[in-house]
Amino acid sequence: MVRTVYSPEYCLQYLEQYASQEIFVTGLILGQITEARENVIHLARTPEEKNSDSTSENSSVSDKAEAVRNLLGVSEAWVADHAKHVTRMLPGGMFVQGVFITSDEDIFEDPNYFSKVRSILNYTYKVLHANEYMYGNCPYTNERLVLHMSTNTKVLTCKTVEVGSNVKNTIIKPVDWKFLSKPQQWQRLDCYYEFDDVYPVIVKKSGISVKHQFQQILESAHKTIESSVMFIDGELRNGSEALEQLIKKKKPKNSSKSIQDMAKSMHVSLFVPFENSLPETVEYLECDGSIHFSGVVSSSVFMCPKATINEAIAAVKQDIVRSLASRFTMHCDALIDDNLLPEEKVCFNEPPRRVLVPVGTLYLCDYLFPGEAPAEALLSVRELLDLQITETDVVCDVETPADTSEFDALDRDASSEELLATPQEASQFMYITGICFAMLVLIVSIIIHYYDSILEVITKLLTRS
């Protein structure tokens, strides 16, 4: 069966724009795969590559660039780095589905060019697979799209290539690519997931690794979110049911409104099951401090209306975990020193907050550090997505800046050393309290045991007197 892909018509105009200039261009295909349908949402040109000594995995795509004239000159690491940055901007359920190319060479017939395509796809797969919490690779298929438009004939060809370390023989399959004149319809699901957890901290000789602590928080959050149960508009839904069926149920019988006018957004709530049993053995860990991880993650996921409830559940959970992983990575990359020394009593870390940016009929996201203006998001969108938007298009109120009043109070308390007891002082206090309590219990036990004898002696003394 031939794989069918649906894409908005502006993607065709996007390709024709570069093909008409007869220049070589490579970029990423962004979209969503469900059992019912595969949709492409956007084509994002990969920025021109920097000089070779800066094409590392952590490189930025904002430095001075130099033109690459054909596919053989493209760096696999540069395309993979672009895919990694773009994945952070995608909501849950959306993935980098492949690459597009405009060139005068036939990349499917020339073995050198096709070998380069496979190398780019496999390297990108490997880089995105390195961080499992980013959900960089689509879990439903290992096949990636390769879309090519000839700058000579303007003929468009799309095929799939299987990627992964276990792939020995490359299988190429044709793809039926269909451009839609009408905008694609999406069902939006909004969720606000609150975190308020405390994690232990152990200080090593070299200090505390912020990246390591965040990784532990991310692992714990991932387990909690995966075990949670999702309610849509306050109800537990059948996982095999399509989203469009829920929309139809909401529509009143006598209403003249269309289905798309009903319920522009569905509210999602995640509930974590209560563990009512404790393990037989409890491990006690001596720690030097704690991390209070608190805040609300705003999630906005866009699904094809034909997608099932289970697919929507997976997308929402992916979105929350991917957002946390993106913020932690960006925050740690921005730190001057990853290690915090033990003498630092209180430390406040504020990862970047999420903002929404429009792409077609849906929204992708970007992240702003404290003090950054919406104009900063315009640079990322222009560079990574090859889109021109205005500052007013950026939705900045989905998450509010962190409230630092509680931290300020803790900081003031930490500065007063007389209010802080050392672990040794605390243990001595508990030890002394335990001895006093034991002596009191012993005295009471003796009185109760010899109560009759003591009462008889007291009676005789009173009689004599």
Side-chain angles (χ1 to χ4, degrees), residues 324-343:
L324 286 177
S326 300
R327 299 175 207 231
F328 287 170
T329 301
M330 295 173 66
H331 180 69
C332 291
D333 290 344
L335 292 176
I336 299 176
D337 186 2
D338 180 56
N339 289 330
L340 297 177
L341 298 178
E343 54 266 20

Side-chain angles (χ1 to χ4, degrees), residues 234-298:
E235 296 183 24
L236 186 62
R237 307 288 184 173
N238 182 4
S240 60
E241 190 175 10
L243 289 173
E244 61 183 0
Q245 296 299 322
L246 299 185
I247 305 174
K248 290 180 180 179
K249 290 179 181 179
K250 284 187 174 184
K251 182 180 178 181
K253 294 181 179 180
N254 299 328
S255 175
S256 59
K257 294 183 178 180
S258 64
I259 294 178
Q260 293 302 328
D261 292 333
M262 300 293 297
K264 292 294 184 182
S265 173
M266 293 180 177
H267 179 68
V268 176
S269 302
L270 294 180
F271 294 91
V272 180
F274 176 71
E275 297 291 341
N276 55 6
S277 61
L278 293 175
E280 295 181 0
T281 59
V282 179
E283 295 184 2
Y284 293 92
L285 181 66
E286 183 177 352
C287 59
D288 303 285
S290 63
I291 290 180
H292 184 195
F293 181 58
S294 178
V296 178
V297 172
S298 171

